């Protein structure tokens, strides 16, 4: 088969292709043969493009403007033979690069591992049975089934197809889906015109097909151009770009201040070398070395936390955008509801029947006026139930005493309802075998199957009542005879069912002559059988999640293809559209037809005011997203179908369903829910807000540290006194505190009231005016404390080494206590809980141990020019540090209680 890689498969007949590949279209490959081919030819995956090697990635850690200053400072101090300073400066640069390298590697691996969780599944024929497997296990010769919403898993030659259309834009650039046929083509046919082929990575937008795999992995057309389409994990986000821009501004400011320091010192007649060292001290003090690593680590931790809460982030900027979300547009079925449909009422032959029992377990009775009808089913009821299990592609399965559905929940409810009357799919299929089928498509809003019966071939159809009634000309009575169709009466009965929150499916049948089903057969001449009304109850956790969103200033809107009355009732139960303080209020609802009649201006106004959109076509979702965005809303949109992809791409956050979603929707989404649960969206929004809060906390903590160090050096030069801290000591402070103190904020669990505030505007600056004021205030406190204590000790005859050691320890202890201030930007650490982030305590303890080593070990004394200090000095340091903590705590209390909470 290796020699067949370049074969003109499109020029071969279908049976010839099967023969050449040693496969049988009716049975597929055996499991043994498939395993043998997989071992021989490898998995069906494109070899990833060669990434940057570890050495290149490590060297790139030095490619940062702020690091350039440190490298230059280290080089010049080396020329001045200040070897200790040079060694420490370069040591800090290397350690910082190592931290960045390790954390970036971990972040990229985490994102890549999350991508692996989103593998494509394929329907493959093995040993005569259709099974679903991971597409990487497919081999050449496998027979696969394609249907609307699938991503083509490998290069395939079509064996048979029905109305198949494939979006090949990713491969050929053709913007319109290509209509496919199985007929043989000329050998010179170019790739874009090969109508009997489908290629790996392209998307099935319509229809279904059976095909044989002719190439996998690197041998596919996609594999040959993999260098153009393969991408590595991208850790760049709008926030990291803002911080990069901020770093450049800071770089200029640091260079200006350092130059000013040097110039002022020379003007005052100081030694040029001393003034250069002072300028170096100011530069290294003002550089927030830990900032890039903190951003990367915080985002990586956040992505992993979201994955644990059932939300997989496909595109890293989504982490930030989630925190700004103002509107969530959600599907109803399975996301806001349980996705365990249960038929509650049946209307057929002019009579209503009640169905007892819940869930998929076939336990319960069908009753009329309290009497069980089992064993004496009226003809109309029997045909309505039979249509429900024949026009059906799902299976009811029992496992460990639990019943579940393999397939669509709505179809599962129909199977369960029929089983309660003693009808099973197995019996129905034996008596009335299927000949053909027309699968459900959202544009058609119905599904049809053709069956062989003693009376002749019968078409059974199920779908939305409006579409079914359009195709019906008469109706079945209780005894099995037919009467003229009363459309108005049936629509009234449907509304009665929907008013109880039931989803209504209509069923019909028709006798036809042929054994192949065409779309035209389904559009007229049918006999109406009955209605089955089922409910998919709201998820308990979704009700709570909608309430959380309301408290967070996020509007939840339901978008569904269901009947307007059904959708409105479910939305009412969920609390969607409730005004503050109100209850049991029905939300404002618009239907797809009403949307069609609105102008763009009217739609923009209505989209904001309306909470439920029913009977909405997939393409209308895009208009709704654009309308909401026209009012500057940040929109999160859920979707699971092929036609949801444009809306998902347009939304600020596109959210695909991991269980029921098509590959097309997942490709277009920023985030995928592994449990299809609305509560997971709320959890992801909460995590997004927490991540941004933690980044702001780190920045609010680190900038006063750098600002305080820079101000102390500047004040010393301006007043003509000795430097209170040396460059090597500043580097020690920055290196150790960033790792052991600042980064611990990345592990903050999030404040309990994070979902009780309005969303942050995405264009808002990272730091508010209040936080900038606090940063300047804390910098000033550090300057006042360190400089005054240093001057006092110098005046009282302290040796310069001891005075500087006190200054270093005072800096670090103020940073340590201020860290506890920054665990919440508005509350006391006792309010949020002292032990809610144990990593802060671990980091603080480690920092204290390091400072004791810095102060009392001879080795550290030699390197950092430190000296042992007395218990009295420690007492003074601790009192001042606690005093700074208390002052900041008092400032927060005033803003919270006196000036009203501002955040």
């Amino acid at each position: 088969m290796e020699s067949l890689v370049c074969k003109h498969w499109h020029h071969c007949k279908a049976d010839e292709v099967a023969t050449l590949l040693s496969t049988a279209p009716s049975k597929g490959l055996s499991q043994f043969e498939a395993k043998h081919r997989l071992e021989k030819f490898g998995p069906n995956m494109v070899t990833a493009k060669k990434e940057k090697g570890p050495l290149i990635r490590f060297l790139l850690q030095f490619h940062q403007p702020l690091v350039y200053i440190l490298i230059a400072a280290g080089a010049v101090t080396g020329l001045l033979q200040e070897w200790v300073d040079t060694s420490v400066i370069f040591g800090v640069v290397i350690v910082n690069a190592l931290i960045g390298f390790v954390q970036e590697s971990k972040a990229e691996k985490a994102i890549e591992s999350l991508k692996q969780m989103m593998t494509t599944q394929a329907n493959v024929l093995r040993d005569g049975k259709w099974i679903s497997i991971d597409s990487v296990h497919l081999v050449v010769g496998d027979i696969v089934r394609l249907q609307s919403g699938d991503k083509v898993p490998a290069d395939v030659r079509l064996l048979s197809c029905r109305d198949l259309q494939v979006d090949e834009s990713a491969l050929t650039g053709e913007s319109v889906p290509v209509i496919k046929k199985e007929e043989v083509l000329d050998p010179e046919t170019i790739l874009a015109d090969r109508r009997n082929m489908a290629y790996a990575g392209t998307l099935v937008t319509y229809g279904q097909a059976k095909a044989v795999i002719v190439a996998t992995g690197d041998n596919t057309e996609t594999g040959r151009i993999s260098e153009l389409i393969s991408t590595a994990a991208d850790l760049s986000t709008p926030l990291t770009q803002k911080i990069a821009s901020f770093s450049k501004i800071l770089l200029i400011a640091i260079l200006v201040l350092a130059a000013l320091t040097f110039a002022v010192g020379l003007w005052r007649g100081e030694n040029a070398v001393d003034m250069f060292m002072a300028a170096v001290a100011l530069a290294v003090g003002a550089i927030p070395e830990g900032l890039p690593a903190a951003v990367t680590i915080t985002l990586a931790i956040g992505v992993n936390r979201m994955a644990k809460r059932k939300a997989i982030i496909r595109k890293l900027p989504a982490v930030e955008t989630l925190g700004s979300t103002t509107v969530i547009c959600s599907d109803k079925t399975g996301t806001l509801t349980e996705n365990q449909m249960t038929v509650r009422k049946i209307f057929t032959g002019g009579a209503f029947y009640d169905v007892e029992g819940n869930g998929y377990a076939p336990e319960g009775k069908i009753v009329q006026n309290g009497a069980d009808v089992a064993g004496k089913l009226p003809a109309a009821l029997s045909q309505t139930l039979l249509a429900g299990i024949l026009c059906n592609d799902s299976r009811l399965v029992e496992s460990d005493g639990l019943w579940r559905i393999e397939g669509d929940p709505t179809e599962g409810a129909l199977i369960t309802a029929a089983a309660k009357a003693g009808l099973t799919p197995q019996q129905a299929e034996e008596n009335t075998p299927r000949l053909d089928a027309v699968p459900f498509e959202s544009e058609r809003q119905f599904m049809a199957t053709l069956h062989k019966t003693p009376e002749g071939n019968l078409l059974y159809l199920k779908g939305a009542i409006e579409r079914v009634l359009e195709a019906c000309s008469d109706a079945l009575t209780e005894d099995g005879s037919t009467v003229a169709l009363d459309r108005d009466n049936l629509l009234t009965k449907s509304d009665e069912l929907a008013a109880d929150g039931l989803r209504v499916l209509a069923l019909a049948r028709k006798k036809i002559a042929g054994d192949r089903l065409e779309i035209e057969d389904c559009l007229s001449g049918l006999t109406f059988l009955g209605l089955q009304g089922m409910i998919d109850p709201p998820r308990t956790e979704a009700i709570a999640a909608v309430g959380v969103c309301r408290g967070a200033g996020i509007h939840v809107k339901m978008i569904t293809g269901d009947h307007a009355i059904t959708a409105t009732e479910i939305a009412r139960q969920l609390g969607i559209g409730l005004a503050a303080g109100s209850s049991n209020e029905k939300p404002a609802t618009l239907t797809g037809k009403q949307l069609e009649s609105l102008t763009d201006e009217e739609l923009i106004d209505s989209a904001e005011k309306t909470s439920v959109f029913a009977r909405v076509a997939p393409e209308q979702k895009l208009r709704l997203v654009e309308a909401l965005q026209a009012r500057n809303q940040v929109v999160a949109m859920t979707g699971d179908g092929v036609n949801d992809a444009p809306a998902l791409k347009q939304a600020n956050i596109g959210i695909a369903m991991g269980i029921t979603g098509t590959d097309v929707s997942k490709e277009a989404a920023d985030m995928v829910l592994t449990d299809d649960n609305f509560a997971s969206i709320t959890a992801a929004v909460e995590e997004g807000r927490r991540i941004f809060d933690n980044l702001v906390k780190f920045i609010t903590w680190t900038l006063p540290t750098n600002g305080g160090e820079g101000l102390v050096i500047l004040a010393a030069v301006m007043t003509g006194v000795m430097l209170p801290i040396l460059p090597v000591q500043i580097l020690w402070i920055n290196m150790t505190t960033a790792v052991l103190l600042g980064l611990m904020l990345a592990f903050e669990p999030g404040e309990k009231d994070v979902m009780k505030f309005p969303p942050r505007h995405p264009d808002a600056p990272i730091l508010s005016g209040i936080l900038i004021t606090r940063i300047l205030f804390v910098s000033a406190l550090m300057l006042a404390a360190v400089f005054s204590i240093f001057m006092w000790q110098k005046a009282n005859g302290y040796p310069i080494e001891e005075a500087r050691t006190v200054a270093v320890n005072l800096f670090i202890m103020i940073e340590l206590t201020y860290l506890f201030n920054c665990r919440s930007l508005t509350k006391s650490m006792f309010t949020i809980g002292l032990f809610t982030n144990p990593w802060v305590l671990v980091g603080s303890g480690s920092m204290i141990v390091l400072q004791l080593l810095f102060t009392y070990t001879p080795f550290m004394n030699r390197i950092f020019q430190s000296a042992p200090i007395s218990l009295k000095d420690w007492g003074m340091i601790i009192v001042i540090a606690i005093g700074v903590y208390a002052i900041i705590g008092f400032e927060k209390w005033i803003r919270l209680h006196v000036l009203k909470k501002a955040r």
Side-chain angles (χ1 to χ4, degrees):
M1 281 183 293
E2 288 175 283
S3 62
L4 298 176
V5 169
C6 297
K7 183 77 179 177
H8 293 304
W9 300 110
H10 56 279
H11 182 56
C12 298
K13 294 179 181 178
D15 56 348
E16 289 177 1
V17 173
T19 302
L20 285 168
L21 297 175
S22 303
T23 189
S26 60
K27 293 182 64 178
L29 298 174
S30 67
Q31 292 287 5
F32 176 79
E33 176 62 19
K35 182 182 177 184
H36 173 71
R37 294 188 185 190
L38 185 64
E39 290 171 351
K40 184 174 182 180
F41 299 110
N44 176 34
M45 57 193 300
V46 176
T47 304
K49 74 173 183 180
K50 190 175 181 181
E51 303 288 348
K52 296 183 183 76
L55 178 61
I56 298 298
R57 287 192 288 119
F58 176 69
L59 292 175
L60 285 173
Q61 301 302 315
F62 301 98
H63 185 50
Q64 299 177 36
L66 299 179
V67 175
Y68 295 155
I69 299 178
L70 292 177
I71 293 173
V76 176
T77 53
L79 292 174
L80 296 174
Q81 297 187 357
E82 299 285 347
W83 301 119
V84 173
D85 291 297
T86 301
S87 301
V88 175
I89 288 173
F90 282 123
V92 168
V93 170
I94 291 171
V95 168
N96 201 51
L98 283 171
I99 292 170
F101 172 75
V102 170
Q103 292 301 333
E104 187 175 297
S105 298
K106 284 183 178 178
E108 290 188 350
K109 284 179 182 176
I111 293 170
E112 287 299 321
S113 67
L114 293 178
K115 287 181 180 178
Q116 296 306 313
M117 294 173 66
M118 303 204 11
T119 53
T120 301
Q121 293 291 302
N123 233 338
V124 61
L125 187 63
R126 294 268 176 90
D127 289 320
K129 294 181 180 178
W130 288 104
I131 59 173
S132 180
I133 66 170
D134 193 324
S135 62
V136 298
H137 297 137
L138 293 173
V139 296
V140 171
D142 262 331
I143 307 299
V144 293
R145 187 159 56 193
L146 304 174
Q147 57 187 14
S148 178
D150 287 348
K151 180 194 282 187
V152 180
D155 286 2
V156 299
R157 168 66 161 88
L158 301 176
L159 301 176
S160 63
C161 56
R162 174 193 290 274
D163 303 327
L164 186 69
Q165 295 183 28
V166 179
D167 178 0
E168 296 184 337
S169 57
L171 191 62
T172 66
E174 176 63 53
S175 58
V176 179
V178 178
I179 298 172
K180 296 291 185 176
K181 301 288 182 184
E182 60 263 40
E183 63 212 20
V184 176
L185 299 174
D186 186 83
E188 303 305 316
T189 305
I190 62 171
L191 186 142
D193 292 336
R194 294 175 188 172
R195 300 291 190 250
N196 59 9
M197 300 286 293
Y199 295 99
T202 58
L203 305 168
V204 179
T205 60
Y206 196 81
Q208 55 187 352
K210 184 177 178 182
V212 59
I213 293 178
V214 298
T216 60
D218 290 334
N219 292 323
T220 62
E221 293 295 333
T222 300
R224 295 176 192 176
I225 58 170
S226 61
E227 280 296 315
L228 300 178
I229 63 172
S230 178
T231 56
D234 184 10
L235 296 178
S236 175
T237 75
L239 180 63
T240 57
Q241 290 161 11
K242 278 184 183 178
I243 290 175
S245 176
F246 166 75
S247 296
K248 290 175 183 175
I249 295 170
L250 188 62
L251 169 63
I252 295 169
I254 290 170
L255 291 175
V256 169
L257 282 175
L260 179 64
T261 301
F262 184 71
V264 169
L266 290 181
W267 177 70
R268 292 177 58 86
E270 303 288 347
N271 180 275
V273 172
D274 291 342
M275 285 306 95
F276 177 77
M277 294 306 293
V280 168
L282 186 146
V284 298
I287 295 172
E289 294 96 339
L291 185 56
V295 174
T296 302
I297 292 169
T298 304
L299 288 174
I301 290 170
V303 167
N304 282 312
R305 278 185 174 177
M306 286 185 180
K308 289 176 183 175
R309 299 186 75 173
K310 313 297 184 185
I312 297 175
I313 298 296
R314 293 188 69 249
K315 300 169 186 174
L316 206 54
V319 176
E320 299 158 35
T321 313
L322 276 166
S324 304
T325 300
T326 59
V327 176
I328 300 175
C329 297
S330 176
D331 286 327
K332 178 180 71 67
T333 305
T335 307
L336 290 165
T337 57
E338 292 282 3
N339 208 16
Q340 283 209 351
M341 300 293 287
T342 304
V343 174
R344 290 284 172 81
K345 285 183 178 293
I346 300 172
F347 178 80
T348 181
F352 275 108
Y353 298 85
D354 293 312
V355 183
E356 298 176 349
N358 284 313
Y360 294 134
E363 300 164 357
K365 298 179 290 186
I366 298 178
V367 299
Q368 184 182 33
N369 300 323
D372 188 356
V373 298
K376 46 183 177 179
L377 296 179
L381 177 59
S382 176
Q383 280 294 302
T384 299
L385 293 170
L386 184 63
I389 55 176
L390 289 176
C391 190
N392 200 310
D393 284 331
S394 300
R395 291 199 311 148
L396 185 64
V397 179
E398 184 186 15
S399 177
D400 298 324
L402 296 175
W403 291 88
R404 61 183 176 83
I405 287 295
E406 290 185 351
D408 181 70
T410 300
E411 294 188 334
L414 297 175
I415 296 172
T416 302
K420 292 174 183 177
L423 303 177
T424 66
Q426 293 79 11
Q427 292 172 338
E429 287 167 10
E430 286 176 11
N431 298 331
T432 52
R434 184 186 289 193
L435 300 175
D436 202 1
V438 173
F440 177 84
E441 292 285 354
S442 55
E443 292 86 354
R444 290 196 290 260
Q445 294 188 315
F446 68 76
M447 172 188 176
T449 55
L450 182 63
H451 298 266
K452 185 177 182 180
T453 74
E455 306 168 33
N457 293 346
L458 283 180
L459 176 162
Y460 284 98
L461 181 143
K462 74 172 189 292
I465 184 168
E466 294 91 345
R467 294 304 303 271
V468 174
L469 289 180
E470 286 175 9
C472 289
S473 55
D474 55 20
L476 200 68
T477 63
E478 188 175 18
D479 61 6
S481 58
T482 58
V483 294
L485 187 73
D486 187 346
R487 285 184 173 79
D488 291 340
N489 178 56
L490 291 172
L491 287 171
T492 300
K493 299 301 181 185
S494 175
D495 286 345
E496 288 177 20
L497 294 172
D500 293 331
L502 300 179
R503 181 181 181 186
V504 182
L505 270 183
L507 300 110
R509 74 177 189 185
K510 174 184 178 181
K511 189 172 182 179
I512 65 173
D515 57 3
R516 184 170 173 84
L517 200 53
E518 301 295 341
I519 298 295
E520 290 73 20
D521 296 326
C522 308
L523 303 181
S524 63
L526 276 77
T527 298
F528 181 83
L529 298 176
L531 303 172
Q532 294 200 45
M534 58 196 72
I535 189 168
D536 180 13
R539 290 179 183 259
T540 305
E541 61 270 32
I543 296 172
V546 169
V548 169
C549 287
R550 191 161 53 246
I554 300 169
H555 301 283
V556 179
K557 298 181 185 293
M558 177 194 289
I559 302 178
T560 178
D562 260 358
H563 196 287
I565 300 174
T566 306
T568 304
E569 172 60 20
I570 294 293
R572 184 193 64 77
Q573 294 177 32
L574 285 160
I576 290 175
L578 287 183
S582 64
S583 61
N584 208 33
E585 181 181 298
K586 285 199 173 183
T589 303
L590 277 176
T591 65
K593 278 191 175 180
Q594 290 170 318
L595 288 177
E596 283 179 5
S597 65
L598 297 179
T599 64
D600 288 343
E601 289 292 327
E602 292 169 335
L603 180 62
I604 290 169
D605 191 51
S606 297
E608 273 211 326
K609 295 177 180 177
T610 307
S611 297
V612 178
F613 300 90
R615 280 293 194 255
V616 171
E619 57 270 19
Q620 290 178 316
K621 287 186 176 183
L622 178 60
R623 280 193 77 202
L624 286 171
V625 172
E626 291 172 335
L628 290 166
Q629 288 173 333
R631 289 284 173 89
N632 296 318
Q633 301 285 4
V634 179
V635 182
M637 166 71 77
T638 70
D640 55 9
V642 176
N643 291 333
D644 291 334
L648 292 178
K649 285 184 178 179
Q650 178 65 31
N652 301 88
I653 296 285
I655 304 171
M657 302 297 109
I659 299 172
T660 60
T662 60
D663 292 327
V664 182
S665 63
K666 291 175 188 177
E667 285 289 317
D670 302 287
M671 183 171 84
V672 178
L673 302 183
T674 59
D675 62 352
D676 291 11
N677 192 338
F678 180 84
S680 297
I681 303 175
T682 307
V685 171
E686 184 180 338
E687 282 294 332
R689 290 188 174 193
R690 185 199 62 77
I691 289 165
F692 190 85
D693 274 3
N694 285 353
L695 286 172
V696 171
K697 288 172 185 176
F698 177 84
I699 295 168
T700 305
W701 173 82
T702 195
L703 291 186
T705 302
N706 302 109
E709 291 167 349
L711 287 173
V712 165
I713 300 300
L714 192 60
V717 171
M718 293 299 179
T719 55
V721 302
M722 299 180 71
L723 295 181
I725 44 177
L726 298 172
V728 69
Q729 294 169 340
I730 290 174
L731 286 167
W732 166 262
I733 295 171
N734 290 356
M735 179 177 68
T736 55
T737 57
V739 174
L740 294 177
L741 299 181
L743 288 183
M744 299 304 109
L745 291 172
F747 298 95
E748 277 297 316
E751 298 179 42
K752 293 179 180 177
D753 61 354
V754 73
M755 291 295 281
K756 293 182 180 178
F757 295 94
R760 176 186 61 86
H761 195 282
D763 293 330
I766 297 172
L767 297 174
S768 65
I770 292 172
L771 293 181
I772 291 172
T773 302
R774 183 175 299 165
I775 288 167
L776 296 174
F777 182 47
V778 176
S779 297
L781 287 175
M782 283 188 172
L783 167 65
V786 173
F787 197 72
S788 60
I789 294 299
F790 178 77
M791 294 299 292
W792 177 80
Q793 289 192 323
K794 281 293 296 168
N796 283 275
Y798 273 67
I800 187 64
E801 290 81 7
E802 286 186 31
R804 283 172 172 161
T805 303
V806 169
V808 170
N809 281 301
L810 183 54
F811 254 122
I812 285 178
M813 292 308 294
I814 290 175
E815 288 182 51
L816 192 150
T817 56
Y818 180 51
L819 179 74
F820 286 89
N821 283 121
C822 290
R823 288 191 60 204
S824 172
L825 299 176
T826 56
K827 304 184 198 66
S828 159
M829 69 173 175
F830 300 106
T831 303
I832 64 172
L834 183 60
F835 302 103
T836 51
N837 182 0
W839 289 105
V840 167
L841 300 177
V842 171
S844 299
S846 302
M847 190 71 251
I848 290 170
V849 170
L850 273 186
Q851 279 313 109
L852 292 174
L853 294 173
F854 172 89
T855 305
Y856 295 108
T857 59
F859 172 71
M860 300 286 266
N861 294 157
R862 284 195 301 273
I863 293 177
F864 294 103
Q865 300 180 44
S866 58
I869 59 176
S870 66
L871 283 176
K872 179 184 174 183
D873 292 329
W874 278 112
M876 177 181 62
I877 289 168
I878 292 169
V879 167
I880 292 173
I882 292 174
V884 171
Y885 171 84
I887 291 170
I888 302 304
F890 183 62
E891 180 257 350
K892 288 198 291 186
W893 184 86
I894 289 175
R895 291 190 185 279
L896 185 64
H897 297 286
V898 179
L899 302 177
K900 304 298 181 184
K901 186 182 293 186
R903 193 177 177 180

